[in-house]
Every structure is written in structure tokens, then in C-alpha cells.
Amino acid sequence: MEQVLGLLGAKPYQRDLLIEYLHRIQDYYHCISAQHMAALATLLRIPQAEVYEVASFYHHFDTVLDDEIPPPNLTVRVCDSLTCAMSGASALIDELQQAAGSAVRIQPVPCVGRCHAAPVAVVGERAVECADAQQIQKLISADEREALPITGMPGINAYREQGGYRLFDACHEGGHQVEDIIAALEQSNLRGLGGAGFPAGRKWRILRQQAAPRMLAVNIDEGEPGTFKDRYYLERDPHRFLEGMLIAVWAIEAEAIYIYLRDEYASIRVMLAQELQQLRQHYGVAIPDIQLRRGAGAYICGEESAMIESIEGKRGVPRLRPPYVAEVGLFSHPTLEHNMETLFWVRDIIEKGAEWFASQGANQRQGLRSFSVSGRVKQPGVYLAPAGITVQQLIDDYCGGMLAGHEFYGYFPGGASGGMLPASMKDIPLDFDTLQEYGCFIGSAAIIVFSQHDSARDLALNTMRFFAHESCGQCTPCRVGTVKACELMQQTHWDIPLLEELAQTMVDASICGLGQAAPNPLLCAMRYFPQEFEA
Ligand SMILES: Cc1cc2nc3c(=O)[nH]c(=O)nc-3n(C[C@H](O)[C@H](O)[C@H](O)COP(=O)(O)O)c2cc1C
Ligand code: SF4
Ligand code: FES
């Protein structure tokens, strides 16, 4: 109890801050003991089982019961998701595991959002791009485990000097009508960029029809393997997003803002905390309370209702809908939930005009998309390109072509969830609604390009392992289906009829998008890469 009180400080203690409290204990002691959990339960006046069920849900918490041995105090996480797997993650993990002494834990983990520089490792909180074992050993020996600060991005003053916050100030001072702003968003056809693509303007309108108090929740969980666009924009221009966020709050008259940031983005957490403080100092009571909440390594918390559960300090288990979060969301209040990038575009759309955004597409599509491109291309990275561009154009015109010695064999058009397609289908416009007929979707626009040196079968298995690891366990088709699919996919001979039946059950009967989308790469591998199964 004394140790927990020392970390939490004075009262009051809030139940919804349970995950923040668990982080403090984990950061300090590198694990969370049964005694710590008992103390937290006493302070929050909740059952110990409730603390344990939350602590044990999240991958970044190490619960240690009385008879268990605590983990070493340094963890090196090595990404083994798609792009890193193609770039030698498995050999790197083996090498590190052989060299690691008892004071270091080497942990394979899913995508950490830096796929352009695969393979990626994280030593404590220090991200290491294009990682090799020597580099990591050096950091371990020097005990360099802190996140590096973000430098070079415009702070609040520089952003203001470039005309930033003029739009929000004008909104706030009566220079714009809410109706005009919403109409502009509708005309621009801005769609939610977190994956589902729901029209942003329509969502704001729905929120305004709900009873006050209303809330705004910002989704920066960015867990979809292959996606790193939110990190890219935050590291370069955070106030453009924050201004969009304040305009949304003004438009829907929200009483509080919750920003949910994935735990892997430690440098951004420090930067955002500072920039939010500047914002509060500047605007005072003119803006609502802004809370920055820290995820704890659970992909499912990117799903909007699971994120809300997590902000409330619970396990990130998706809610059954209806009611939708726009009606009953955070703390039971109507909630506007947006991906960070959706808000990032609000200022530009209003200032440059809805037509500017809407007129940008290719192949009869509208708008711009931020593609996170990784894999076997010469210059992986985030590219802002017209919606409807094809993968071949992205590879040729933005990424400098394929890597030497690699021929284009196939691609994931929407991260791990969005399925995969062969190179022969390189001319499909990439956008919301254009990929469904092929059993795929664009999601967060994470394009992973693979070559003749890769196998669609192995990549599909990689994604299924990811879904099995990240399933929240609430429903059987997903919890059991992902594990059974992994077992079947590890066989030399795939039992295709059985896998198809299993996939159909997962699609039909899973509660949320994770289980429904999990079989996409598996189904695409069987459908589009039959040559890999003939032998
Ligand atoms: C399994 C799963 C994971 C998701 N992960 C994210 C995520 O990491 N970031 C995100 O913005 N949206 C994610 N989404 C989509 C959200 O549920 C939601 O649609 C989105 O945050 C709404 O914001 P938008 O309208 O601005 O896109 C995920 C959805 C599912 C089903
Ligand atoms: S589909 Fe999977 S992640 Fe979604 S609620 Fe069911 S078990 Fe949880
Ligand atoms: S950082 Fe490894 S796949 Fe994204």
C-alpha cells in the first residue's frame, strides 16, 4: 500500500484511471504484483478480481502472482508482424534471445508503427529502426532505454505564426456557423480515416442531435499492422490535428476530450502532453478539459467501443451495438469518436474549400489518402496521394519502384485485416468501397508490398497469429476460430474446405470487426495464390 500510495500521490483516486495507475506501477517496478493489485483494489473500492482482470488483459502489464517469478527489468520488444517478418525479424529475435542474459527479456510483438524502417525493435521505450543485434546490444549495455524526444516540429507559437488556430478562433468568436462547417465537411466527402470510412460531416450532424453532455474521443491507437500515418503526422504537425479537434468540439459542443494514444508511441506521449499544456495555458476555460490516455498494448482497443471501455479503465472488450457510441458512448454520454487523421484534415478543408479536397481523387474517386507503404519497395513511407490511385502507381510514382532483386508478387491493400491481392490485380483503384468485391478493404490505407521471395501462405499465417494474439476473447468464433485456423494453417497440407467453413463461421458470427476480418488474408491466399497450394 505504501508503494502504491507513493506512486499515485494524494486522493482522489478515480476508477476510470485504473489503467494509468497500473502504468505507474509497471513503469516503476517493471511488473505488477498481487500485493500492488490488492492495494489498488482497496484504494478504488473495487474487487481485487476487477483489478486483476484489467491488468491481465493488456499485453504491456506483467502481473506477478505470489508464486510467480517477476520478468527481467528490461524488455526488448521486436516486431514480428508482416513487414518486419519479411525483413528478417525472426533471425533478429533468435540472435537476441541467444545473446540475452537473464537481465533482459526479448519479446516478439505485433507491429509498432514504424514499418517503413523494418525490422524494428523497442528497447524499453527507445524505438530502434532498421534494427540489428549489435545496435540493440549496445543500447542494452549502455542502459539507453528512454524514448528519444521529437525535434523539429512546429510548436504552438510556430504553428500560430503560420496562420494556425485562426480558423478555430474565428469559430469560437462567432465568425463561422456550425452549419456551414458541417456542410463543408459533407461537400468535401471527408470520410473517417481510421478504417470504416463513415462520412465525417454526417457523424458530426448525428452527434448534434443527441442530448448533452456530449464527448469527443480521439483514436490514436494505430495498431493495424502496416499503418504508421498517424505517427507520421503527429511527429510533424501535431497542432493541425489539435486545431481540428477543437473545431469538432466547438461544433458538437462537447464537454470533454479524451485522446487515446497507443503505448508504443512514447515520444509522442511526451510531446503531446507538453503541447496540450501550452494549449490549455493559451485558451484557459475557452476549451474543455482534455485528457491524454495511454493504451497498454492491445490492438482491439482501436475498435471504437473497446477504446471507450479502455478509457473507462476496463478491459478493452467491444460493446454490442446498438446503441452506437454516437448515442451511448464514453461514461454513457453521446460520443464523437474520430481517428486522429480525420481531424487533421478539418482545417485544410475549411480554409482551402471543400472543392479542394473533393476534386483530388483519381479513377472517379474523391479526396486524398495517406498511404502507409512498406515492404519490398525502394522508398517505403507515408505518401499523400489521390484516393483511387492504384498500387502500381504508388510503387512506381511514389516509392521509386521495387527493391533490387524483387519482383512484385502481391500486396495487402489495407493492413492485416484488409486481405491480400496478387500483382496481376495491380490496377484496382484503392479507396473505400472499391475492394469489397475482391474480398478486401482499404481500412487505414496500409499497403504492404511483397515479392517472389515471400509466400502468401506464410504471410496469411502471420496475420492469423496476430489476430489470435489480439482477440479479446469475448466471442467463441473469434477466440477459438483464430487459434484453430493457425493450427490448420501450420500444416503442410491446408484442409481448404475445412478452413473455408471455419472462415465463414468467423465472418458470420464474430461480434466485432476483428473476428469478422481475421479470415480475409486466409481466404485471399486460397483464392488468389492457388499455385502455392498445388504441391
Ligand atoms: C479491430 C479494429 C481495430 C481498429 N483499430 C483502429 C485504430 O487503431 N485506429 C483508428 O482510428 N480506428 C481503428 N478502428 C476503427 C474504429 O473502430 C472507428 O471506426 C474509428 O476510430 C472512427 O473514426 P473515423 O470515423 O475518424 O475513422 C478499428 C476497428 C476495428 C474493428
Ligand atoms: S470478434 Fe474477437 S475481438 Fe471482437 S469481440 Fe469477438 S472475440 Fe473480441
Ligand atoms: S513495425 Fe514491424 S510491421 Fe510495422
Side-chain angles (χ1 to χ4, degrees):
M1 178 62 87
E2 266 172 37
Q3 291 175 345
V4 171
L5 284 173
L7 290 171
L8 264 51
K11 281 185 193 174
Y13 308 116
Q14 284 172 238
R15 169 65 187 85
D16 62 295
L17 287 177
L18 175 58
I19 293 168
E20 297 293 316
Y21 300 152
L22 289 167
H23 271 304
R24 283 187 217 171
I25 298 171
Q26 174 75 38
D27 285 351
Y28 194 84
Y29 292 103
H30 308 293
C31 65
I32 301 166
S33 70
Q35 290 92 329
H36 288 146
M37 287 186 270
L40 272 178
T42 306
L43 292 175
L44 294 173
R45 296 172 185 277
I46 56 176
Q48 291 184 22
E50 204 172 313
V51 178
Y52 181 68
E53 71 167 13
V54 174
S56 57
F57 181 86
Y58 293 91
H59 297 304
H60 286 189
F61 295 141
D62 293 299
T63 54
V64 178
L65 301 185
D66 294 334
D67 52 351
E68 289 173 343
I69 301 164
N73 86 24
L74 178 61
T75 297
V76 177
R77 299 192 165 99
V78 186
C79 169
D80 67 355
S81 283
L82 294 165
T83 313
C84 289
M86 288 191 251
S87 310
S90 155
L92 177 63
I93 292 166
D94 286 349
E95 203 177 338
L96 288 169
Q97 273 169 346
Q98 274 162 25
S102 57
V104 183
R105 170 174 57 166
I106 309 296
Q107 203 176 49
V109 295
C111 181
V112 294
R114 296 177 183 271
C115 333
H116 66 291
V120 184
V122 186
V123 179
E125 295 199 323
R126 170 80 56 91
V128 188
E129 299 186 340
C130 303
D132 63 48
Q134 286 72 21
Q135 236 177 325
I136 293 169
Q137 290 300 350
K138 248 180 159 170
L139 291 173
I140 295 172
S141 309
D143 198 25
E144 288 189 34
R145 55 168 85 182
E146 308 290 319
L148 288 174
I150 295 171
T151 53
M153 55 96 199
I156 187 166
N157 293 331
Y159 180 73
R160 292 192 84 85
E161 278 159 25
Q162 297 155 13
Y165 290 112
R166 252 185 240 158
L167 175 62
F168 170 65
D169 291 344
C171 291
H172 198 249
E173 288 153 15
H176 288 284
Q177 300 300 312
V178 171
E179 179 52 41
D180 297 341
I181 300 283
I182 293 183
L185 289 187
E186 285 171 339
Q187 283 155 21
S188 73
N189 199 23
L190 175 67
R191 297 176 64 166
L193 298 166
F198 193 85
R202 199 188 313 160
K203 202 143 90 168
W204 292 24
R205 208 177 275 293
I206 293 170
L207 255 292
R208 281 181 62 82
Q209 289 158 3
Q210 311 299 315
R214 294 177 279 265
M215 317 289 266
L216 175 72
V218 183
N219 191 338
I220 325 182
D221 201 49
E222 189 147 81
E224 185 64 41
T227 315
F228 44 100
K229 66 186 180 62
D230 295 350
R231 181 184 56 73
Y232 177 91
Y233 286 122
L234 281 165
E235 287 176 352
R236 285 160 183 79
D237 202 1
H239 283 279
R240 196 171 298 271
F241 140 63
L242 293 173
E243 182 169 5
M245 176 184 87
L246 292 184
I247 294 168
V249 153
W250 161 80
I252 66 155
E253 295 168 35
E255 304 219 338
I257 304 170
Y258 285 79
I259 302 175
Y260 191 87
L261 177 70
R262 73 179 306 198
D263 199 28
E264 288 79 353
Y265 291 171
S267 306
I268 294 179
R269 188 167 65 245
V270 175
M271 178 275 290
L272 262 188
Q274 286 163 357
E275 299 306 317
L276 287 172
Q277 195 47 29
Q278 301 272 328
L279 208 58
R280 290 184 197 104
Q281 271 166 12
H282 185 87
Y283 284 108
V285 291
I287 58 173
D289 180 39
I290 308 174
Q291 299 272 331
L292 178 59
R293 291 294 175 86
R294 179 174 169 190
Y299 163 73
I300 190 56
C301 290
E303 194 281 335
E304 59 184 1
S305 64
M307 193 188 105
I308 279 171
E309 289 285 303
S310 187
I311 294 174
E312 292 182 359
K314 304 181 204 151
R315 296 182 302 146
V317 172
R319 294 180 182 172
L320 289 175
R321 274 143 295 175
Y324 296 96
V325 298
E327 302 156 327
V328 182
L330 251 180
F331 307 112
S332 303
H333 303 311
T335 302
L336 176 66
E337 180 162 340
H338 266 312
N339 168 253
M340 169 257 144
E341 194 205 343
T342 315
L343 297 167
F344 182 88
W345 291 112
V346 169
R347 172 184 164 195
D348 285 35
I349 287 172
I350 309 296
E351 283 185 354
K352 297 180 183 167
E355 186 53 24
W356 161 78
F357 193 79
S359 63
Q360 301 260 2
N363 297 313
Q364 283 84 50
R365 308 303 304 173
Q366 281 190 312
L368 290 166
R369 296 280 172 271
S370 304
F371 291 95
S372 311
V373 191
S374 67
R376 309 294 195 181
V377 292
K378 274 200 183 120
Q379 290 152 24
V382 172
Y383 295 107
L384 185 63
I389 192 172
T390 66
V391 69
Q392 188 69 61
Q393 288 171 313
L394 271 177
I395 295 172
D396 294 342
D397 303 345
Y398 291 79
C399 301
M402 295 291 290
L403 272 177
H406 290 268
E407 276 165 35
F408 182 26
Y409 176 48
Y411 63 110
F412 286 79
S417 311
M420 57 178 159
L421 293 166
S424 58
M425 295 169 78
K426 62 189 183 326
D427 296 322
I428 305 172
L430 298 172
D431 196 11
F432 299 116
D433 315 323
T434 56
L435 296 159
Q436 268 88 332
E437 60 181 296
Y438 309 105
C440 295
F441 59 75
I442 188 171
S444 53
I447 313 293
I448 304 160
V449 178
F450 52 94
S451 77
Q452 82 279 18
H453 296 300
D454 307 305
S455 123
R457 240 180 100 120
D458 290 350
L459 294 172
L461 174 58
N462 181 301
T463 63
M464 194 58 83
R465 285 192 175 126
F466 164 75
F467 292 119
H469 188 250
E470 298 301 325
S471 168
C472 83
Q474 179 178 199
C475 62
T476 312
C478 170
R479 183 188 64 248
V480 178
T482 49
V483 173
K484 290 285 172 200
C486 283
E487 282 169 18
L488 290 168
M489 292 165 81
Q490 280 168 62
Q491 308 292 320
T492 319
H493 174 77
W494 280 21
D495 185 338
I496 289 180
L498 187 58
L499 277 164
E500 281 172 346
E501 194 185 331
L502 179 59
Q504 194 59 50
T505 309
M506 291 163 73
V507 171
D508 288 348
S510 293
I511 288 179
C512 87
L514 189 152
Q516 290 158 10
N520 283 345
L522 156 68
L523 290 168
C524 288
M526 297 189 292
R527 182 169 167 191
Y528 298 120
F529 299 87
Q531 67 281 6
E532 293 194 18
F533 300 91
E534 278 158 14

